[in-house]
Amino acid sequence: MPAPNVIVILADDLGYSDIGSFGGEIDTPNLDRLARGGVRMTSFYVTPRCSPSRAALLTGRHPHSVGIGVLTRDNGPAGYRGSLDESVPTLAQRLKDLGYRTALVGKWHLSSDTTTPNGTWPTRRGFDEFYGILPGCSSYYQPPLMSGESRVPEAHADPDYYITDDLSEHARDFVARASAGDTPFFLYLAYTAPHWPLHAREPDIAKYRERYRAGWDTLRAERFRRQADLGVAGVAEPPPRDEAVPPWADVDDRAWEVERMATYAAQVEVMDRGIGQVLDQLERSGTRENTIVMFLSDNGGCAEELPHRPGEPVFGAEICPRRTRLGEPVEVGNTPGIMPGPEQGYISYGRGWANLSNTPFRLYKRWVHEGGVASPFIVSWPSALPADRVERRPGHLVDLTSTIVEAAYGHADTAGHSLLPVWKGSDDEPRTLCWEHIGNAAVRRGRWKLVREWAGPWELYDIEADRGESEDLALREPSLVAELAAIWEQWAKDNAVIPWSDVLADFRRRGRPETEALG
């Protein structure tokens, strides 16, 4: 069999249960058909933040060891560099060495310098083509768009411009061109959707307003029932609502909340629509059978609140040119102001809806509890993998480079762990997986998961019986806590994890606010 083409599709801040094949009520027919033709992993893990997940995906290494411990801020000699280590080859470089044609369409977010071309830009890390943005987020209507190493200002002149559609069209066109060639191709399609700001067109938002008037309590229960029917719930009972989220009946401005989630859902559906264009192009080109297509999110749903207070100036104006010119504050709640959807707002969907997105798990992006690190994962390779299969054994982002290189090269990559046997249903050795982000830490070995928030005590969960992390068993199993904590400490040393207390102390010594350390 010739080497397969490879497409990795990465969503940004998408929750575990948002798409249809993982229980969501958002219309995602194209991802659902991808799931019917492939394998869904219910225990696929990522890191809890944007840049670290991208670093792990592209290097097969834990992100701290390749310079990305938090995000892309250069934290100086005592901290993380905030740029992908130039001495570590990327997946694109490895596939290029194997004769692949390579392209990145979408978000990079792996360089601390996004103004001057340098060795950490995608075109210098193995990608023949790059079309997208270098920073971590932007306006959907006025993004700081790049083609290769040059700005693309002309796109902003189009009043109907929308970045998700633009990325989908470029991805589709790359597949058409690459399929006509005589070498295999690798496409990394890294959408900015559905990361805030909540930007979507009115017709796409309108179809969801009635759907979300039911509120997050009803919708979480409905999602859980669908997850149980689909075999992707991971827990036996529906989890309680996050105690920091009010009951839907007690929400003061439900119209505002409905608008936020309707806009988020529109962003997801438009992304799915674009994925359909890519899949359709594969079929038209006759390359679908021998193309590996993967879909996942970079972390769990995001509970960040933007803006934080009524009347607060727009966040992110520095990377949103037209917003800088307008200079208008965003106002929320019952105060008349700018609503989600149009360009004038820079708004997120908040904790209540993130709790829905991460059904049935606990916590969110930035945390290493299941809500922060569990991702929906779909892989389809019609000529080599089974269809419509649910796999419950764990996998991790650091596995993907080895898995893809093995598929491309035809031999096992001894540098990492391949998921090919897992996807095909073969037995696999038990895994030990570890995480760290801004002091939040976790280790999973078999059914046990040890996890803590920064400066908090270790919590212990039987993750097979209680993946919702609701019953802390740490006091009952002190020896197991000590054993797993020692495993985590060794992993942290081996992977250049800087203790978070040291990171904060360094910021204080230099007279910089500790909040900067968060990225």
Side-chain angles (χ1 to χ4, degrees), residues 131-206:
Y131 186 87
I133 65 169
L134 291 171
C137 60
S138 76
S139 164
Y140 283 62
Y141 305 110
Q142 292 277 291
L145 202 61
M146 303 284 295
S147 179
E149 296 183 356
S150 301
R151 298 286 177 185
V152 186
E154 59 268 21
H156 301 161
D158 180 359
D160 295 324
Y161 181 85
Y162 189 74
I163 190 173
T164 307
D165 290 342
D166 191 14
L167 298 179
S168 297
E169 290 163 8
H170 273 79
R172 178 200 62 203
D173 293 347
F174 173 79
V175 168
R177 289 184 284 111
S179 295
D182 56 3
T183 60
F185 63 83
F186 168 51
L187 170 63
Y188 173 35
L189 175 51
Y191 283 103
T192 61
H195 193 294
W196 46 258
L198 295 174
H199 282 170
R201 300 184 185 95
E202 171 57 23
D204 293 313
I205 300 170

Side-chain angles (χ1 to χ4, degrees), residues 318-392:
E318 70 279 2
I319 53 173
C320 196
R322 192 176 296 171
R323 289 297 302 116
T324 303
R325 291 198 296 274
L326 290 173
E328 300 173 31
V330 172
E331 298 174 335
V332 301
N334 291 309
T335 305
I338 298 167
M339 296 294 282
E343 180 184 1
Q344 288 80 3
Y346 212 91
I347 300 165
S348 67
Y349 74 160
R351 192 170 183 126
W353 294 120
N355 192 211
L356 172 68
S357 283
N358 288 342
T359 305
F361 302 137
R362 179 180 165 200
L363 293 177
Y364 313 98
K365 173 184 177 179
R366 296 191 183 206
W367 282 271
V368 293
H369 289 73
E370 295 291 285
V373 296
S375 167
F377 183 89
I378 303 169
V379 59
S380 174
W381 185 7
S383 64
L385 296 180
D388 203 15
R389 182 169 173 271
V390 175
E391 174 56 61
R392 293 176 175 81

Side-chain angles (χ1 to χ4, degrees), residues 194-492:
H195 193 294
W196 46 258
L198 295 174
H199 282 170
R201 300 184 185 95
E202 171 57 23
D204 293 313
I205 300 170
K207 68 173 289 187
Y208 284 103
R209 287 193 180 103
E210 188 60 36
R211 196 171 303 187
Y212 287 106
R213 288 193 179 103
W216 46 61
D217 291 328
T218 296
L219 291 166
R220 286 182 75 248
E222 291 176 357
R223 282 197 184 193
F224 183 80
R225 285 194 292 271
R226 286 192 296 269
Q227 288 178 319
D229 291 342
L230 291 166
V232 299
V235 296
E237 298 293 333
R241 181 196 327 105
D242 182 341
E243 61 185 15
V245 175
W248 182 252
D250 294 345
V251 172
D252 290 333
D253 195 343
R254 295 183 208 169
W256 162 259
E257 292 291 358
V258 167
E259 199 72 9
R260 293 211 285 180
M261 188 60 193
T263 307
Y264 176 92
Q267 290 174 304
V268 175
E269 182 177 346
V270 174
M271 176 181 66
D272 179 84
R273 194 183 302 157
I275 292 169
Q277 293 180 37
V278 175
L279 297 178
D280 290 346
Q281 183 60 57
L282 283 172
E283 293 174 359
R284 284 195 299 270
S285 300
T287 51
R288 180 68 188 94
E289 285 295 307
N290 197 34
T291 299
I292 303 172
V293 180
M294 301 181 196
F295 174 83
L296 66 157
S297 177
D298 61 350
N299 46 248
C302 176
E304 297 163 357
E305 287 282 357
L306 300 173
H308 298 289
R309 298 180 299 275
E312 183 175 5
V314 173
F315 178 88
E318 70 279 2
I319 53 173
C320 196
R322 192 176 296 171
R323 289 297 302 116
T324 303
R325 291 198 296 274
L326 290 173
E328 300 173 31
V330 172
E331 298 174 335
V332 301
N334 291 309
T335 305
I338 298 167
M339 296 294 282
E343 180 184 1
Q344 288 80 3
Y346 212 91
I347 300 165
S348 67
Y349 74 160
R351 192 170 183 126
W353 294 120
N355 192 211
L356 172 68
S357 283
N358 288 342
T359 305
F361 302 137
R362 179 180 165 200
L363 293 177
Y364 313 98
K365 173 184 177 179
R366 296 191 183 206
W367 282 271
V368 293
H369 289 73
E370 295 291 285
V373 296
S375 167
F377 183 89
I378 303 169
V379 59
S380 174
W381 185 7
S383 64
L385 296 180
D388 203 15
R389 182 169 173 271
V390 175
E391 174 56 61
R392 293 176 175 81
R393 285 173 292 180
H396 194 283
L397 266 176
V398 295
D399 301 334
L400 294 188
T401 288
S402 295
T403 303
I404 292 168
V405 169
E406 178 179 345
Y409 188 59
H411 299 283
D413 181 357
T414 57
H417 186 94
S418 172
L419 292 174
L420 285 176
V422 174
W423 296 343
K424 294 177 180 179
S426 302
D427 290 337
D428 191 48
E429 295 181 2
R431 307 290 307 284
T432 298
L433 303 173
C434 295
W435 296 265
E436 190 279 340
H437 187 69
I438 58 174
N440 300 324
V443 53
R444 175 176 173 174
R445 185 184 67 181
R447 68 186 305 135
W448 297 106
K449 182 178 177 184
L450 192 70
V451 60
R452 72 180 180 204
E453 297 183 56
W454 162 238
W458 284 113
E459 305 162 13
L460 179 68
Y461 299 102
D462 179 347
I463 214 70
E464 291 184 4
D466 177 28
R467 201 163 168 216
E469 297 168 315
S470 59
E471 184 180 5
D472 181 4
L473 304 175
L475 294 180
R476 298 188 207 172
E477 301 283 351
S479 60
L480 182 57
V481 169
E483 181 182 352
L484 292 174
I487 291 173
W488 184 89
E489 292 287 350
Q490 187 60 54
W491 169 86

